Amino acid sequence: MDRLRDQYDALLLDLDGTLYRGPEVIEGAPKALAPNGDSAQRLVYVTNNAARGPGAVAHHLDELGYPATTADVVTSAQAAARMLAERLSPGDRVLVVGTDDLAAEVKAVGLDPIRRFGDTPPAAVVQGHSPATAWPDLAEAAYALRADALWIAANTDRTLPNERGLAPGNGSMVAALATASDREPLVAGKPYAPLMENAIERAGTRRALVVGDRLDTDIEGANGLGLDSLLVLTGVSTLDEVISAPAARIPTYIAATLDALNDAVVAEPAAPADIADLLRQYPGRAVRVRAVDSEIR
């Protein structure tokens, strides 16, 4: 049997909505990713959430039953810090709107993270998700942006899945700051290239499958770099959204859960409307999607 996972040397795995929702593991997902037979794929955990450093993310994954070390985790905070370092001079001040872990990534690339400033605006603003972000933080960033500071957002996800549903994501806070500043940021996270390029570099191969739950980040990001993708229906995006999605957001495969990695792929459907029937007919398997009139494959 030709399993889906065996076509690839690496799996680039989204976290929120794919492996867990908030503190709760998605049932069956750790078992689906466990070494299986002759499988030897490199597992790289790729998260748009900039709230936690790679060590904390790896520890959380390990607690939930996923094999992970710090070296296996790539975050949008790391990608954002790398973008800053490429554009600024060592020691430049960067106003951080986000967690202390995001500030630590800024410091790690030789820049000076700050929270407030006086008469001299910082060289840049970096913005990542933090549940503690408040009006004074956004106001300070708006003053800096009005003074022409560089602006980099870790990601622009409008929502963040957790055990209660969909909470406001970093993109919602970015939108507030964009309104206040009449500016738009450069973005490090999916669907933009910097984070995915970091993940490919970490995996050491382009023969990789991107696995995620969002059409507008995971799938569009994979398509933008010419990588295959698997959409799992355990998080944000729904099958109805797939059927009406533009070509840039059509995944290579769709499956109900990660179990599909360990089974053969169902033949391509004749039309998008057939996908739901095939998923019901072949539970636990992925359906290959025909991207009608698409130029992305």
Side-chain angles (χ1 to χ4, degrees):
M1 176 182 67
D2 294 326
R3 298 175 300 180
L4 172 57
R5 67 189 300 167
D6 292 335
Q7 301 176 43
Y8 303 95
D9 294 330
L11 303 178
L12 307 185
L13 298 155
D14 176 59
L15 305 186
D16 295 310
T18 302
L19 304 186
Y20 54 71
R21 301 183 194 93
E24 296 183 358
V25 68
I26 291 177
E27 185 177 357
K31 182 179 179 181
L33 289 178
N36 190 320
D38 296 328
S39 66
Q41 294 79 27
R42 172 72 192 276
L43 303 184
V44 179
Y45 302 96
V46 188
T47 178
N48 258 8
N49 193 332
R52 296 181 297 176
V57 172
H59 179 70
H60 183 212
L61 288 167
D62 191 61
E63 285 185 324
L64 294 178
Y66 299 103
T69 67
T70 300
D72 299 323
V73 176
V74 182
T75 74
S76 64
Q78 293 172 307
R82 186 170 178 172
M83 290 175 69
L84 288 166
E86 292 169 350
R87 291 163 172 81
L88 302 178
S89 299
D92 278 351
R93 296 190 308 159
V94 177
L95 180 71
V96 176
V97 181
T99 64
D100 288 344
D101 281 357
L102 174 57
E105 295 295 345
V106 172
K107 189 175 181 64
V109 296
L111 300 170
D112 181 18
I114 62 172
R115 296 291 187 172
R116 298 289 185 268
F117 65 93
D119 296 332
T120 305
V125 172
V126 64
Q127 185 174 7
H129 173 71
S130 170
T133 296
W135 184 90
D137 305 302
L138 295 179
E140 199 77 4
Y143 303 145
L145 295 180
R146 290 284 185 180
D148 206 30
L150 172 69
W151 183 18
I152 291 180
N155 71 80
T156 52
D157 294 14
R158 294 176 300 164
T159 58
L160 181 66
N162 63 30
E163 71 281 9
R164 295 182 62 187
L166 295 179
N170 192 53
S172 296
M173 306 299 278
V174 168
L177 191 50
T179 299
S181 65
D182 293 323
R183 295 274 304 274
E184 292 293 335
L186 300 175
V187 183
K190 300 172 285 187
Y192 298 92
L195 176 58
M196 293 298 292
E197 289 174 342
N198 287 6
I200 292 169
E201 182 179 327
R202 189 72 60 86
T205 179
R206 294 189 65 88
R207 193 168 177 263
L209 178 69
V210 176
V211 183
D213 70 303
R214 297 184 72 123
L215 295 174
D216 59 342
T217 57
D218 307 309
I219 306 309
E220 185 174 343
N223 286 335
L225 290 176
L227 301 177
D228 286 349
S229 61
L230 167 66
L231 178 77
V232 288
L233 302 175
T234 53
V236 174
S237 293
T238 66
L239 190 55
D240 286 342
E241 290 172 340
V242 175
I243 293 172
S244 60
R249 295 181 177 178
I250 296 294
T252 313
Y253 311 100
I254 297 175
T257 68
L258 288 174
D259 290 334
L261 289 168
N262 298 306
D263 210 331
V265 176
V266 179
E268 292 185 2
D274 294 336
I275 296 172
D277 288 339
L278 287 170
L279 289 174
R280 284 191 293 267
Q281 186 178 351
Y282 299 99
R285 294 173 65 178
V287 172
R288 185 174 181 97
V289 180
R290 176 176 294 127
V292 181
D293 296 329
S294 171
E295 297 178 358
I296 60 177
R297 272 183 276 284

